[in-house]
PDB file of all heavy atoms in Angstrom:
ATOM      1  N   ASN A  21    -149.507 -20.899-134.299  1.00 97.00           N
ATOM      2  CA  ASN A  21    -150.511 -21.837-133.804  1.00 97.00           C
ATOM      3  C   ASN A  21    -150.423 -22.034-132.297  1.00 97.00           C
ATOM      4  O   ASN A  21    -149.359 -21.865-131.689  1.00 97.00           O
ATOM      5  CB  ASN A  21    -150.340 -23.197-134.495  1.00 97.00           C
ATOM      6  CG  ASN A  21    -150.630 -23.121-135.974  1.00 97.00           C
ATOM      7  OD1 ASN A  21    -151.724 -22.736-136.369  1.00 97.00           O
ATOM      8  ND2 ASN A  21    -149.659 -23.457-136.808  1.00 97.00           N
ATOM      9  N   CYS A  22    -151.549 -22.430-131.733  1.00 96.00           N
ATOM     10  CA  CYS A  22    -151.653 -22.592-130.282  1.00 96.00           C
ATOM     11  C   CYS A  22    -152.690 -23.667-129.993  1.00 96.00           C
ATOM     12  O   CYS A  22    -153.718 -23.734-130.672  1.00 96.00           O
ATOM     13  CB  CYS A  22    -152.075 -21.246-129.685  1.00 96.00           C
ATOM     14  SG  CYS A  22    -152.588 -21.263-127.966  1.00 96.00           S
ATOM     15  N   THR A  23    -152.420 -24.513-129.016  1.00 95.00           N
ATOM     16  CA  THR A  23    -153.443 -25.446-128.558  1.00 95.00           C
ATOM     17  C   THR A  23    -153.637 -25.258-127.061  1.00 95.00           C
ATOM     18  O   THR A  23    -152.702 -24.903-126.342  1.00 95.00           O
ATOM     19  CB  THR A  23    -153.053 -26.914-128.840  1.00 95.00           C
ATOM     20  OG1 THR A  23    -151.790 -27.183-128.217  1.00 95.00           O
ATOM     21  CG2 THR A  23    -152.965 -27.198-130.312  1.00 95.00           C
ATOM     22  N   TYR A  24    -154.854 -25.487-126.620  1.00 90.00           N
ATOM     23  CA  TYR A  24    -155.161 -25.339-125.204  1.00 90.00           C
ATOM     24  C   TYR A  24    -155.947 -26.562-124.768  1.00 90.00           C
ATOM     25  O   TYR A  24    -156.529 -27.273-125.590  1.00 90.00           O
ATOM     26  CB  TYR A  24    -155.920 -24.029-124.929  1.00 90.00           C
ATOM     27  CG  TYR A  24    -157.237 -23.899-125.657  1.00 90.00           C
ATOM     28  CD1 TYR A  24    -158.442 -24.209-125.040  1.00 90.00           C
ATOM     29  CD2 TYR A  24    -157.264 -23.463-126.990  1.00 90.00           C
ATOM     30  CE1 TYR A  24    -159.640 -24.094-125.717  1.00 90.00           C
ATOM     31  CE2 TYR A  24    -158.464 -23.350-127.668  1.00 90.00           C
ATOM     32  CZ  TYR A  24    -159.643 -23.666-127.026  1.00 90.00           C
ATOM     33  OH  TYR A  24    -160.835 -23.556-127.716  1.00 90.00           O
ATOM     34  N   THR A  25    -155.943 -26.807-123.466  1.00 86.00           N
ATOM     35  CA  THR A  25    -156.564 -28.048-123.003  1.00 86.00           C
ATOM     36  C   THR A  25    -157.890 -27.834-122.290  1.00 86.00           C
ATOM     37  O   THR A  25    -158.697 -28.754-122.193  1.00 86.00           O
ATOM     38  CB  THR A  25    -155.618 -28.795-122.047  1.00 86.00           C
ATOM     39  OG1 THR A  25    -155.273 -27.931-120.960  1.00 86.00           O
ATOM     40  CG2 THR A  25    -154.362 -29.234-122.763  1.00 86.00           C
ATOM     41  N   ASP A  26    -158.114 -26.591-121.791  1.00 80.00           N
ATOM     42  CA  ASP A  26    -159.285 -26.384-120.942  1.00 80.00           C
ATOM     43  C   ASP A  26    -160.506 -26.044-121.785  1.00 80.00           C
ATOM     44  O   ASP A  26    -160.596 -24.973-122.367  1.00 80.00           O
ATOM     45  CB  ASP A  26    -158.996 -25.257-119.945  1.00 80.00           C
ATOM     46  CG  ASP A  26    -159.990 -25.233-118.805  1.00 80.00           C
ATOM     47  OD1 ASP A  26    -161.155 -25.657-119.010  1.00 80.00           O
ATOM     48  OD2 ASP A  26    -159.616 -24.802-117.704  1.00 80.00           O
ATOM     49  N   SER A  27    -161.460 -26.964-121.827  1.00 76.00           N
ATOM     50  CA  SER A  27    -162.639 -26.744-122.683  1.00 76.00           C
ATOM     51  C   SER A  27    -163.547 -25.647-122.135  1.00 76.00           C
ATOM     52  O   SER A  27    -164.445 -25.196-122.838  1.00 76.00           O
ATOM     53  CB  SER A  27    -163.419 -28.044-122.838  1.00 76.00           C
ATOM     54  OG  SER A  27    -163.772 -28.535-121.557  1.00 76.00           O
ATOM     55  N   SER A  28    -163.321 -25.217-120.888  1.00 77.00           N
ATOM     56  CA  SER A  28    -164.142 -24.139-120.346  1.00 77.00           C
ATOM     57  C   SER A  28    -163.549 -22.765-120.616  1.00 77.00           C
ATOM     58  O   SER A  28    -164.047 -21.765-120.099  1.00 77.00           O
ATOM     59  CB  SER A  28    -164.346 -24.331-118.838  1.00 77.00           C
ATOM     60  OG  SER A  28    -163.107 -24.269-118.169  1.00 77.00           O
ATOM     61  N   SER A  29    -162.479 -22.733-121.413  1.00 74.00           N
ATOM     62  CA  SER A  29    -161.909 -21.432-121.784  1.00 74.00           C
ATOM     63  C   SER A  29    -162.969 -20.579-122.459  1.00 74.00           C
ATOM     64  O   SER A  29    -163.658 -21.040-123.364  1.00 74.00           O
ATOM     65  CB  SER A  29    -160.733 -21.610-122.744  1.00 74.00           C
ATOM     66  OG  SER A  29    -159.680 -22.291-122.117  1.00 74.00           O
ATOM     67  N   THR A  30    -163.084 -19.355-122.018  1.00 78.00           N
ATOM     68  CA  THR A  30    -164.117 -18.482-122.552  1.00 78.00           C
ATOM     69  C   THR A  30    -163.534 -17.428-123.476  1.00 78.00           C
ATOM     70  O   THR A  30    -164.120 -17.088-124.484  1.00 78.00           O
ATOM     71  CB  THR A  30    -164.859 -17.799-121.395  1.00 78.00           C
ATOM     72  OG1 THR A  30    -165.347 -18.790-120.518  1.00 78.00           O
ATOM     73  CG2 THR A  30    -165.999 -16.949-121.900  1.00 78.00           C
ATOM     74  N   TYR A  31    -162.390 -16.877-123.072  1.00 85.00           N
ATOM     75  CA  TYR A  31    -161.741 -15.837-123.864  1.00 85.00           C
ATOM     76  C   TYR A  31    -160.356 -16.333-124.266  1.00 85.00           C
ATOM     77  O   TYR A  31    -159.641 -16.904-123.453  1.00 85.00           O
ATOM     78  CB  TYR A  31    -161.583 -14.545-123.056  1.00 85.00           C
ATOM     79  CG  TYR A  31    -162.848 -14.090-122.386  1.00 85.00           C
ATOM     80  CD1 TYR A  31    -163.035 -14.240-121.023  1.00 85.00           C
ATOM     81  CD2 TYR A  31    -163.863 -13.505-123.131  1.00 85.00           C
ATOM     82  CE1 TYR A  31    -164.196 -13.828-120.416  1.00 85.00           C
ATOM     83  CE2 TYR A  31    -165.035 -13.085-122.530  1.00 85.00           C
ATOM     84  CZ  TYR A  31    -165.193 -13.257-121.170  1.00 85.00           C
ATOM     85  OH  TYR A  31    -166.350 -12.843-120.571  1.00 85.00           O
ATOM     86  N   LEU A  32    -160.008 -16.104-125.520  1.00 90.00           N
ATOM     87  CA  LEU A  32    -158.680 -16.481-126.008  1.00 90.00           C
ATOM     88  C   LEU A  32    -158.035 -15.256-126.607  1.00 90.00           C
ATOM     89  O   LEU A  32    -158.692 -14.462-127.289  1.00 90.00           O
ATOM     90  CB  LEU A  32    -158.806 -17.611-127.036  1.00 90.00           C
ATOM     91  CG  LEU A  32    -159.361 -18.879-126.366  1.00 90.00           C
ATOM     92  CD1 LEU A  32    -160.425 -19.515-127.207  1.00 90.00           C
ATOM     93  CD2 LEU A  32    -158.229 -19.838-126.069  1.00 90.00           C
ATOM     94  N   TYR A  33    -156.762 -15.074-126.297  1.00 91.00           N
ATOM     95  CA  TYR A  33    -156.070 -13.823-126.610  1.00 91.00           C
ATOM     96  C   TYR A  33    -154.779 -14.080-127.370  1.00 91.00           C
ATOM     97  O   TYR A  33    -154.157 -15.138-127.232  1.00 91.00           O
ATOM     98  CB  TYR A  33    -155.669 -13.095-125.316  1.00 91.00           C
ATOM     99  CG  TYR A  33    -156.720 -12.969-124.254  1.00 91.00           C
ATOM    100  CD1 TYR A  33    -156.892 -13.973-123.306  1.00 91.00           C
ATOM    101  CD2 TYR A  33    -157.514 -11.830-124.158  1.00 91.00           C
ATOM    102  CE1 TYR A  33    -157.842 -13.856-122.308  1.00 91.00           C
ATOM    103  CE2 TYR A  33    -158.462 -11.712-123.154  1.00 91.00           C
ATOM    104  CZ  TYR A  33    -158.618 -12.721-122.234  1.00 91.00           C
ATOM    105  OH  TYR A  33    -159.559 -12.599-121.238  1.00 91.00           O
ATOM    106  N   TRP A  34    -154.359 -13.077-128.094  1.00 95.00           N
ATOM    107  CA  TRP A  34    -152.999 -13.018-128.633  1.00 95.00           C
ATOM    108  C   TRP A  34    -152.348 -11.727-128.146  1.00 95.00           C
ATOM    109  O   TRP A  34    -152.875 -10.637-128.365  1.00 95.00           O
ATOM    110  CB  TRP A  34    -152.995 -13.057-130.160  1.00 95.00           C
ATOM    111  CG  TRP A  34    -153.263 -14.421-130.719  1.00 95.00           C
ATOM    112  CD1 TRP A  34    -154.415 -14.864-131.282  1.00 95.00           C
ATOM    113  CD2 TRP A  34    -152.341 -15.521-130.774  1.00 95.00           C
ATOM    114  NE1 TRP A  34    -154.290 -16.176-131.674  1.00 95.00           N
ATOM    115  CE2 TRP A  34    -153.016 -16.603-131.372  1.00 95.00           C
ATOM    116  CE3 TRP A  34    -151.014 -15.694-130.373  1.00 95.00           C
ATOM    117  CZ2 TRP A  34    -152.425 -17.844-131.590  1.00 95.00           C
ATOM    118  CZ3 TRP A  34    -150.417 -16.927-130.584  1.00 95.00           C
ATOM    119  CH2 TRP A  34    -151.115 -17.990-131.188  1.00 95.00           C
ATOM    120  N   TYR A  35    -151.211 -11.897-127.454  1.00 94.00           N
ATOM    121  CA  TYR A  35    -150.417 -10.771-126.983  1.00 94.00           C
ATOM    122  C   TYR A  35    -149.094 -10.738-127.737  1.00 94.00           C
ATOM    123  O   TYR A  35    -148.549 -11.776-128.113  1.00 94.00           O
ATOM    124  CB  TYR A  35    -150.099 -10.900-125.489  1.00 94.00           C
ATOM    125  CG  TYR A  35    -151.222 -10.509-124.562  1.00 94.00           C
ATOM    126  CD1 TYR A  35    -152.195 -11.433-124.191  1.00 94.00           C
ATOM    127  CD2 TYR A  35    -151.297  -9.216-124.043  1.00 94.00           C
ATOM    128  CE1 TYR A  35    -153.220 -11.074-123.320  1.00 94.00           C
ATOM    129  CE2 TYR A  35    -152.312  -8.856-123.172  1.00 94.00           C
ATOM    130  CZ  TYR A  35    -153.268  -9.788-122.820  1.00 94.00           C
ATOM    131  OH  TYR A  35    -154.279  -9.437-121.972  1.00 94.00           O
TER     132      TYR A  35
END
Side-chain angles (χ1 to χ4, degrees):
Chain A
N21 294 302
C22 168
T23 57
Y24 60 97
T25 57
D26 196 331
S27 56
S28 63
S29 296
T30 305
Y31 310 105
L32 295 135
Y33 313 88
W34 284 104
Y35 281 87

